[in-house]
Amino acid sequence: MPAALATPAERIVAFRAPPPRVRHAHVIKDDAEAIAVARRLADRIAETAIERDRERRLPFEELDWLSDAGLLAITVPKAYGGAEVSSGTLAEVIAILSEADGSIGQIPQNHFFILHALRLEGSEEQRRFFYGRILSGERIGNALSEIGTKTAQDHNTRLTKDGPVLRLNGRKFYCTGALFAHWVAVVANDDEGRSTISFVPRETPGLTVIDDWSGFGQRVTASGTTTLDNVEVHPFAVISLRAVFDRPTSMGPVAQIMHAAVEAGIARAALKETVHYVRNHARPWKDSGLDHGYEDPYTIAQIGEVKIRVSASDALLERAGRIADIAVADPTIETVAAASIAVAEAKVASTEASLHAGSKLIELAGSRATQAQYGLDRFWRNARTHTVHDPVRWKYRAIGDYWLNGINPPRHGAI
């Protein structure tokens, strides 16, 4: 990328970063602690999940919980003071949070996506600066996708040179987490048409985050609009996005395993609620001659089926994490392809498990489960909203082509 000044040290000095976050953040040391912290926070998050969804109460406080506990810094490499957790642990943390609240589980996904891009393409100076900010509890929101382009991967937003600085102009949507962020990661094409990521402080003049997300599910992700009007960007705050897909890297598998984890967590939650409501509220059908709904053999069999689907989803997610870590450690054409396929298999399973579990919850729990006071429709709504992120029908094709014809999947982060 273009540089305004000659040396890395001079570039850092010239980079006008905002003051660091004042609140102290705990630093998680390893995978086991990351899982334990996620479970502890998930218990708190779940307590108000129904009200948050019903009232569309945005989770500013809950995101601070995640920051303060150090959970948003768990992928920072050990060399920079972080835990550098495995892909499987990252996925499990996302799943645990998503089981408590699907929206809150989704919000950190792009934060971790950008951190992985920084790991792959950032300079030593960039890594030290931004990893330090993340360890202090700062958050990254995204301004990646746009509405109105030919595909979701095309971008009209431009990053153009203006003397010693760069300028961003464009309009983004699906900006999950930007409203809660300290930094907004903006994807734009530069003067040579290369895809880039710019780290823009949330309060930069010309950057406006609009709370206009109206999805019927994942209601409190605040995945609305971000506008960029001649936003100043220093070259120090820019990395290449194109480069992480031009060569074999773990970018795609790591990005997608988190999406699979969101749905796996929603599926777990829906199954748990189904068991609870059938045990406590479901009535037997009059022709059964039974005293309790939970004695119905047809209900028992269907809950068994849902449990198998959820368990299969969890098993494929765990397997995908192990295979993704091979690609992280040794990124080759073969290891990255294998990881992408393993993650795609997990994503297919979690998609189907979450939709099925969310629907069966309402069916098996009975008419009472449709009452708004229980908020049980949120699991299906959240799953249906999130599962359209990357079409499963194309994952089926990629998986089949890989196993039948030996054809590797494309490297673009959405398989």
Side-chain angles (χ1 to χ4, degrees):
M1 294 303 304
L5 297 168
T7 69
E10 288 174 326
R11 289 199 294 272
I12 295 173
V13 170
F15 177 47
R16 294 191 296 273
R21 184 174 186 262
V22 176
R23 292 172 62 157
H24 172 74
H26 173 70
V27 178
I28 291 173
K29 297 302 183 184
D30 55 32
D31 292 60
E33 186 183 3
I35 297 293
V37 170
R39 287 175 176 158
R40 174 170 54 82
L41 290 177
D43 288 341
R44 294 178 67 190
I45 289 167
E47 291 174 359
T48 50
I50 294 173
E51 293 81 3
R52 199 161 38 246
D53 174 79
R54 181 188 300 127
E55 300 166 9
R56 197 176 174 272
R57 193 171 71 216
L58 297 178
F60 288 95
E61 181 180 13
E62 290 81 358
L63 266 293
D64 275 340
W65 296 350
L66 300 186
S67 288
D68 293 343
L71 208 57
L72 300 181
I74 57 174
T75 63
V76 172
K78 292 182 184 298
Y80 299 89
E84 195 174 350
V85 301
S86 69
S87 299
T89 294
L90 175 60
E92 183 60 19
V93 165
I94 296 290
I96 290 168
L97 296 176
S98 298
E99 184 175 355
D101 185 321
S103 288
I104 291 178
Q106 181 187 343
I107 289 169
Q109 188 271 332
N110 282 298
H111 169 93
F112 289 120
F113 173 86
I114 298 301
L115 290 184
H116 200 66
L118 181 68
R119 176 176 178 170
L120 295 171
E121 278 301 310
S123 68
E124 178 64 18
E125 293 81 12
Q126 288 173 319
R127 291 174 189 160
R128 289 192 181 281
F129 176 82
F130 286 108
Y131 284 148
R133 288 302 187 100
I134 298 307
L135 286 167
S136 76
E138 294 186 3
R139 300 184 289 271
I140 302 172
N142 93 85
L144 276 63
S145 295
E146 301 175 18
I147 292 177
T149 54
K150 181 178 180 181
T151 75
Q153 285 71 45
D154 292 321
H155 307 286
N156 288 328
T157 301
R158 292 292 178 264
L159 178 69
T160 56
K161 192 171 182 180
D162 181 17
V165 299
L166 302 162
R167 299 284 177 182
L168 279 169
N169 285 281
R171 187 179 185 89
K172 298 287 188 175
F173 196 64
Y174 306 116
C175 298
T176 303
L179 202 63
F180 316 111
H182 301 87
W183 301 84
V184 179
V186 181
V187 170
N189 291 340
D190 66 12
D191 291 327
E192 285 73 47
R194 300 170 299 188
S195 183
T196 65
I197 300 173
S198 297
F199 293 79
V200 184
R202 171 70 175 76
E203 302 303 324
T204 301
L207 187 152
T208 304
V209 181
I210 304 169
D211 181 23
D212 58 351
W213 172 245
S214 61
F216 64 68
Q218 300 294 82
R219 297 187 66 218
V220 297
T221 57
S223 300
T225 298
T226 296
T227 61
L228 303 141
D229 183 11
N230 216 31
V231 172
E232 180 179 321
V233 180
H234 192 279
F236 176 77
V238 180
I239 63 174
S240 173
L241 177 60
R242 189 183 74 172
V244 303
F245 296 115
D246 278 350
R247 68 186 193 279
T249 73
S250 52
M251 191 77 243
V254 169
Q256 281 294 306
I257 199 171
M258 290 185 281
H259 286 298
V262 171
E263 291 149 23
I266 293 171
R268 295 176 193 176
L271 173 60
K272 181 179 178 181
E273 291 289 353
T274 303
V275 171
H276 173 78
Y277 273 79
V278 169
R279 286 290 307 174
N280 291 282
H281 301 300
R283 294 184 293 182
W285 181 242
K286 60 183 178 181
D287 293 334
S288 70
L290 300 170
D291 294 327
H292 305 286
Y294 56 78
E295 297 173 313
D296 185 328
Y298 301 108
T299 297
I300 293 170
Q302 292 201 19
I303 287 181
E305 181 206 8
V306 174
K307 178 63 172 75
I308 290 168
R309 292 192 186 209
V310 174
S311 294
S313 169
D314 286 342
L316 285 171
L317 187 67
E318 189 274 336
R319 170 180 172 266
R322 287 187 280 108
I323 297 174
D325 277 334
I326 295 172
V328 171
D330 181 25
T332 67
I333 292 174
E334 292 76 18
T335 60
V336 170
S340 294
I341 292 300
V343 171
E345 292 169 356
K347 181 66 164 62
V348 168
S350 64
T351 291
E352 296 183 348
S354 61
L355 292 172
H356 187 69
S359 179
K360 285 295 178 181
L361 164 58
I362 305 300
E363 176 187 344
L364 299 178
S367 299
R368 182 173 181 173
T370 66
Q371 295 295 299
Q373 69 191 84
Y374 299 114
L376 297 182
D377 60 318
R378 73 186 189 278
F379 301 107
W380 185 89
R381 287 189 289 104
N382 286 344
R384 183 67 284 176
T385 299
H386 186 265
T387 54
V388 297
H389 187 279
D390 301 299
V392 163
R393 59 190 179 275
W394 280 88
K395 295 183 189 294
Y396 273 115
R397 178 186 175 182
I399 294 165
D401 240 359
Y402 180 81
W403 291 114
L404 179 63
N405 299 317
I407 297 175
N408 289 339
R411 290 198 307 264
H412 52 50
I415 293 294

